[in-house]
Amino acid sequence: MRRGSGELEKSVLELLGRHKELSVSDVRRLLETDLAHTTVMTALVRLHGKGLVARERRGRSFVYALSAPYEDLPALRAAMRMRSELDAGQARADVLANFVAALDPDDEVTLRHLLSRQDERDVNGS
């Protein structure tokens, strides 16, 4: 049976959230599926390319681990999408302006707080 878009990556991330590190073979076994080794490997390589998993060479293969705690992944994904939009073209100010304009008042307060904390760190050299 064919999985929906993103389901394999989601399943792999959930497994990595429960285990410190896993090889492609480990992931395939834990998924309890008949997916090809190359299919699982491709999913892990894509997650690595997205910055969601780190990999380390062990012998002739890699082991994979989450780049951040599992519960932080949605925020990391959102930040990466925003970074991608900012890096995609010349209109960085337009992207930021549209983002800020769409914030609700509570989110705007949070953003102002975060920016002021960053300003304090910059002034204090931290």
Side-chain angles (χ1 to χ4, degrees), residues 1 6 13 27 43 46 60 73 77-78 81 90 93 102 111 114:
M1 176 152 80
L13 290 172
V27 170
R46 286 182 177 161
R60 293 179 15 201
L73 290 180
R77 280 182 153 163
R81 281 193 305 273
Q90 305 283 334
L111 181 59
L114 291 169

Side-chain angles (χ1 to χ4, degrees), residues 4 10 14 21 23 27 42 66-67 73 83 88 91 93 104 115 119:
K10 182 177 184 243
E14 288 171 354
E21 58 186 26
S23 67
V27 170
T42 299
L66 293 179
S67 297
L73 290 180
R83 170 62 50 205
D104 69 36
L115 289 171
D119 286 344

Side-chain angles (χ1 to χ4, degrees), residues 61-99:
S61 60
F62 289 99
V63 292
Y64 295 83
L66 293 179
S67 297
Y70 183 77
E71 56 276 2
D72 292 348
L73 290 180
L76 178 61
R77 280 182 153 163
M80 292 169 79
R81 281 193 305 273
M82 180 64 139
R83 170 62 50 205
S84 176
E85 289 299 321
L86 289 169
D87 291 343
Q90 305 283 334
R92 294 173 69 88
D94 291 340
V95 171
L96 289 169
N98 285 312
F99 175 75

